[in-house]
Amino acid sequence: MEAKAWVREIPRKQDNLSEWYTAVLLKAEMVDYSPVRGCMVIRPYGWAVWEAIQRWLDAEFRRTGHQTAAFPLFVPESLLQREAEHVQGFAPQVAWVTHGGDEELAERLAVRPTSEAIIMPMYARWIRSYRDLPVLILQWCSVVRWEKATRPFLRTTEFFWHEGHTAHRTAEEADAECRLILDIYRRLLEEQLAMPVLVGRKPDSEKFAGADWTYTLEALMPDGQAIQAGTSHFLGQNFARAFDVKFLDRDNTEKYVWTTSWAVTTRLVGALVMAHGDDRGLFLPPRVAPVQVVVVPVRAEREPAVLERARQLAAQLSERFRVRLDDREEYTPGWKFNEWEMRGVPLRVELGPRDLQQGQAVLVARDAEGTRQPVPLDGLVDRVGEELEAIQERMLERARAYLAAHTVRVEDYGEAVQLIRQRKGFVGVRWCGDTSCEDRLRDETGGSPRVIPEEAVNGACLVCGRKANALVYFARAY
Ligand SMILES: [Zn+2]
């Protein structure tokens, strides 16, 4: 009874994704609302997922020669205004500090919406010659963008991210950096989060304010809406010129550096929850789950040796995995099973008196509730490892099948409009590149151009009939 009531408190995912999403996040103790409008509190269970993402990315960034640093939270107004497109793009969302104590500041300070404008003046001081290049620095921090409508993780006024800022000798090197990072992000999403993505460029209308072009990764949520999962920007020499970042090249002439910036944010945690959860709650991929394995002793009150053996088992498993032993006496095993399922733990190990007699434990995967696998206690650790890998794999396969089934190319304008309106996923449309064609499709569908994959197209623009020069995937989006 108890256990069922617990699950009933979560609305059905397919009935109302939005309500399901919020209910699951709160119930699983991922986030809580805060006294500050638009800002959320990320609770330890939610932060642990972000930390797993951080750990993996940090290792990749180090492997590829990047370093971490910390720059100020505030950006003086005069610096933010240096790059015209940049300030125009961010102005509506900037939070300003106008006072220090009782004193009005001589110059307003922006709370960083992104840090190009505070980092570039430093690069202007640090970079002298081609020998100082490339500069490959990132910082982990939070930034603030004043949002009107917010949702936990997906859109909040303050959010956490890393922002990479690199400077290079040539345009080719800067573009190669953008692509290198894009590929690290793609692997993060696919290999760690079990979220396949479409990869490519943004159309100009959607690029980062101040960039020459923006690369993007787009994931698909279960309601057929897209979510931008990460971006990598080729900034050309725009910021170098605005902030006078020059170097003496090998040929003894002074040149502007080429810069990039790139980020993924805590939004990924929200996307992950939406992508994999079900009516019973969260389902976290083993590689980023804060608890990978929960050990639940069963009928331990009848047989004290059960608890003792469960403790040993948990300790043994802890050497390789993130493990929780649930030995709370006040809850029934059934209640515990439901709670850990709701919190998305990928694998459960049950141990009861009969199992103990037979020298086994029972494994139950989060996505195979009906399948109870008895496994000998000897060699259990290896089996748990194999099972976690298998779960990770199944999650990716399911997500791939979903993405493939909801990524279509159409030959007819009317069909494109219908599919985008109905949130049928990524709808591939041949496009001439003209903004008026893009805008017409936006206006008629409420969708937006998400990503232009790198591939040649032949044929006519589906909107105007002139020669197409790109394939662009449209979708409704978060
Ligand atoms: Zn056209």
Side-chain angles (χ1 to χ4, degrees):
M1 275 300 289
E2 241 182 346
K4 280 185 187 153
W6 173 256
V7 173
R8 267 206 307 271
E9 287 171 32
I10 304 172
R12 289 199 339 144
K13 192 180 181 190
Q14 70 192 64
D15 292 348
N16 191 331
L17 183 63
S18 174
E19 275 179 29
W20 171 90
Y21 175 73
T22 311
V24 164
L25 286 179
L26 293 171
K27 197 122 197 77
E29 300 181 353
M30 299 278 278
V31 294
D32 206 349
Y33 293 111
S34 82
V36 192
R37 208 193 137 270
C39 295
M40 65 174 167
V41 173
I42 304 178
R43 301 184 68 176
Y45 198 65
W47 191 254
V49 175
W50 179 238
E51 278 180 334
I53 292 171
Q54 280 185 310
R55 270 196 304 275
W56 188 87
L57 281 174
D58 250 342
E60 287 296 310
F61 293 149
R62 262 196 297 275
R63 187 178 65 77
T64 48
H66 297 82
Q67 293 178 301
T68 312
F71 294 88
L73 164 68
F74 304 116
V75 185
E77 185 168 18
S78 56
L79 286 183
L80 196 63
Q81 284 174 342
R82 286 268 188 95
E83 214 287 333
E85 273 188 29
H86 189 60
V87 66
Q88 212 185 351
F90 281 100
Q93 290 186 298
V94 172
W96 293 101
V97 177
T98 58
H99 286 74
D102 289 339
E103 244 168 83
E104 194 172 337
L105 303 179
E107 180 179 9
R108 294 197 297 174
L109 299 173
V111 180
R112 62 183 167 213
T114 175
S115 301
E116 282 78 2
I118 194 75
I119 290 178
M120 284 305 126
M122 303 315 300
Y123 285 9
R125 287 166 61 162
W126 298 341
I127 298 167
R128 289 279 166 267
S129 110
Y130 69 91
R131 290 184 203 88
D132 300 325
L133 297 171
V135 174
L136 306 173
I137 292 178
L138 67 128
Q139 68 172 345
W140 291 93
C141 61
S142 69
V143 291
V144 167
R145 295 178 189 174
W146 220 255
E147 295 283 357
K148 292 195 176 72
T150 60
R151 299 176 86 182
F153 286 120
L154 299 181
R155 196 171 293 280
T156 50
T157 295
E158 181 189 16
F159 60 86
F160 293 81
W161 72 355
H162 65 253
E163 47 181 319
H165 295 273
T166 69
H168 304 264
R169 203 183 130 249
T170 65
E172 292 69 31
E173 285 175 25
D175 191 55
E177 167 77 7
C178 287
R179 289 163 179 272
L180 171 78
I181 295 300
L182 195 71
D183 199 55
I184 291 175
Y185 290 165
R186 183 191 57 75
R187 289 200 292 115
L188 167 75
L189 280 145
E190 290 183 1
E191 295 169 15
Q192 303 295 306
L193 309 184
M195 291 175 64
V197 283
L198 296 189
V199 178
R201 279 193 204 189
K202 286 285 187 196
D204 280 351
S205 60
E206 299 274 331
K207 73 182 185 189
F208 179 75
D212 278 359
W213 59 79
T214 286
Y215 294 101
T216 184
L217 306 102
E218 302 281 322
L220 195 63
M221 296 294 102
D223 59 355
Q225 299 206 89
I227 195 162
Q228 180 181 299
T231 46
S232 172
H233 315 295
F234 179 85
L235 304 176
Q237 292 178 314
N238 304 330
F239 285 86
R241 287 175 197 279
F243 291 91
D244 207 30
V245 190
K246 286 187 278 198
F247 70 102
L248 199 61
D249 205 352
R250 287 184 191 129
D251 61 6
N252 235 8
T253 59
E254 223 176 31
K255 294 171 186 171
Y256 289 108
V257 297
W258 298 83
T259 66
T260 81
S261 67
W262 28 270
V264 300
T265 78
T266 34
R267 156 177 264 216
L268 284 185
V269 182
L272 177 74
V273 166
M274 261 198 196
H276 297 300
D278 58 25
D279 289 345
R280 287 180 290 123
L282 288 181
F283 184 9
L284 298 171
R287 291 189 188 153
V288 295
V291 179
Q292 296 170 300
V293 186
V294 61
V295 178
V296 183
V298 179
R299 293 184 201 91
E301 67 286 354
R302 291 193 205 155
E303 176 65 66
V306 166
L307 190 55
E308 190 47 42
R309 192 68 184 87
R311 284 205 176 108
Q312 282 171 15
L313 201 55
Q316 213 182 345
L317 288 166
S318 296
E319 287 170 19
R320 267 178 63 186
F321 312 107
R322 297 183 286 277
V323 179
R324 187 76 63 87
L325 170 72
D326 191 348
D327 56 0
R328 292 175 297 176
E329 284 171 8
E330 65 273 32
Y331 295 110
T332 64
W335 198 95
K336 292 175 184 176
F337 297 167
N338 278 290
E339 182 182 4
W340 293 112
E341 274 167 23
M342 188 276 297
R343 300 191 80 181
V345 174
L347 189 63
R348 177 171 85 227
V349 178
E350 300 172 18
L351 185 72
R354 200 190 303 162
D355 298 318
L356 203 56
Q357 264 170 24
Q358 295 172 354
Q360 65 174 36
V362 174
L363 303 190
V364 185
R366 170 67 174 76
D367 60 344
E369 271 309 305
T371 320
R372 301 165 48 81
Q373 307 179 56
V375 172
L377 287 171
D378 293 336
L380 185 90
V381 176
D382 285 341
R383 271 304 300 279
V384 163
E386 287 162 16
E387 194 56 37
L388 288 173
E389 282 304 303
I391 294 168
Q392 181 86 30
E393 190 114 325
R394 290 200 295 269
M395 293 180 86
L396 179 60
E397 284 313 310
R398 271 194 297 273
R400 277 204 172 122
Y402 175 75
L403 179 62
H406 293 83
T407 303
V408 295
R409 294 181 185 190
V410 294
E411 292 294 327
D412 175 69
Y413 180 74
E415 191 190 355
V417 169
Q418 284 309 314
L419 292 175
I420 300 164
R421 272 191 196 153
Q422 293 164 6
R423 297 179 172 82
K424 293 291 187 191
F426 291 112
V427 181
V429 174
R430 282 194 311 270
W431 178 41
C432 62
D434 209 288
T435 346
S436 62
C437 292
E438 175 189 336
D439 288 346
R440 191 175 150 201
L441 205 46
R442 278 177 193 269
D443 292 345
E444 288 192 26
T445 62
S448 53
R450 307 307 308 166
V451 55
I452 301 171
E454 206 163 275
E455 64 175 71
V457 287
N458 288 308
C461 171
L462 281 201
V463 187
C464 70
R466 284 175 296 175
K467 188 181 179 321
N469 61 29
L471 175 75
V472 56
Y473 282 103
F474 261 76
R476 303 271 297 227
Y478 280 92

